[in-house]
Amino acid sequence: MKKLLIVYAHPCEESYSRALFDTACNAIASSGHRIDALDLYAENFQPVLTAQERRDYHDIGPNSEPVASYVERLRSADGLVLVFPVWNFGYPAILKGFIDRVFLPGISFVLKNGVISGNLRNIRSLVAVTTYGTTRFGALVCGDPPRKSVTRHIRAVVHPLANTKYLALYDMNRSTDKKRDKFREQVSKSLARL
């Protein structure tokens, strides 16, 4: 049995992102795994890196004190699932702030002689579940920063053999109920196999 940290970043309970978060939680629970559901808005996560946190950024130990409970949740997980909408070709600010404040030196990576190596070896499954207002082509034209961040940056700091999935529904601005339902089914089946 695995323990998965599911990080959710959307302020509206009635959103399709919320439906995806619920789908992810249900699929993982139905497969017998444990869930640590982290709703960043509901927990009132503060995404702003303070001046003191920036000064302490490379001071391993003190750098993680302000976010110690989140660091512990990340370190105790076997997998990480991110559920978020893509806004302005990036993460919602609260999720970007979570990454800035929790993925710290000594936590997610080690910097030695100018070389970075991943430090979240406990994370053996990495999944993003997301939506885009634009088409896949539109995202590609803009470089698709969220996809690159998950599949390159975050992927680089987890276990080298981590199972990585990027599940995206594109063109939400013209999406139909049928298309959204089909994507939820895809998410459910994919996460049930973790």
Side-chain angles (χ1 to χ4, degrees):
M1 178 175 20
K2 298 177 188 173
K3 179 181 177 184
L4 289 106
L5 176 61
I6 307 176
V7 181
Y8 170 60
H10 197 292
C12 301
E13 288 291 314
E14 70 278 9
S15 70
Y16 181 66
S17 288
R18 179 62 195 216
L20 291 173
F21 173 64
D22 292 342
T23 298
C25 290
N26 291 336
I28 292 168
S30 72
S31 64
H33 300 306
R34 291 181 297 140
I35 296 169
D36 179 0
L38 170 52
D39 180 337
L40 294 172
Y41 283 95
E43 293 196 19
N44 198 28
F45 179 80
Q46 297 304 309
V48 178
L49 185 72
T50 67
Q52 191 57 50
E53 286 174 321
R54 181 58 198 144
R55 289 182 188 105
D56 292 340
Y57 187 77
H58 291 285
D59 192 1
I60 296 172
N63 67 348
S64 65
E65 288 173 6
V67 290
S69 65
Y70 295 103
V71 166
E72 177 54 35
R73 291 168 82 171
L74 185 61
R75 283 182 160 168
S76 70
D78 302 304
L80 176 63
V81 179
L82 304 173
V83 181
F84 62 95
V86 171
W87 288 338
N88 295 304
F89 298 100
Y91 295 129
I94 200 166
L95 180 56
K96 178 64 168 77
F98 178 81
I99 294 166
D100 288 347
R101 293 188 66 217
V102 179
F103 282 59
L104 297 162
I107 306 303
S108 69
F109 67 95
V110 176
L111 179 63
K112 187 173 181 181
N113 299 324
V115 177
I116 293 176
S117 58
N119 201 40
L120 286 173
R121 301 302 189 210
N122 55 299
I123 303 292
R124 293 180 168 267
S125 296
L126 172 62
V127 180
V129 178
T130 189
T131 58
Y132 290 71
T134 190
T135 63
R136 174 81 170 112
F137 179 74
L140 285 171
V141 167
C142 291
D144 205 350
R147 179 182 289 270
K148 288 179 180 174
S149 181
V150 171
T151 62
R152 296 179 187 181
H153 160 242
I154 295 176
R155 176 69 184 86
V157 299
V158 300
H159 193 281
L161 301 177
N163 179 14
T164 304
K165 298 178 185 195
Y166 192 87
L167 308 173
L169 176 62
Y170 293 92
D171 207 12
M172 275 290 291
N173 293 337
R174 293 181 292 186
S175 144
T176 62
D177 289 343
K178 184 176 179 181
K179 185 176 178 182
R180 289 189 298 273
D181 289 345
K182 185 176 178 181
F183 184 66
R184 283 181 69 190
E185 287 175 25
Q186 177 191 350
V187 168
S188 182
K189 286 177 184 174
S190 185
L191 293 182
R193 292 192 296 263
L194 286 181

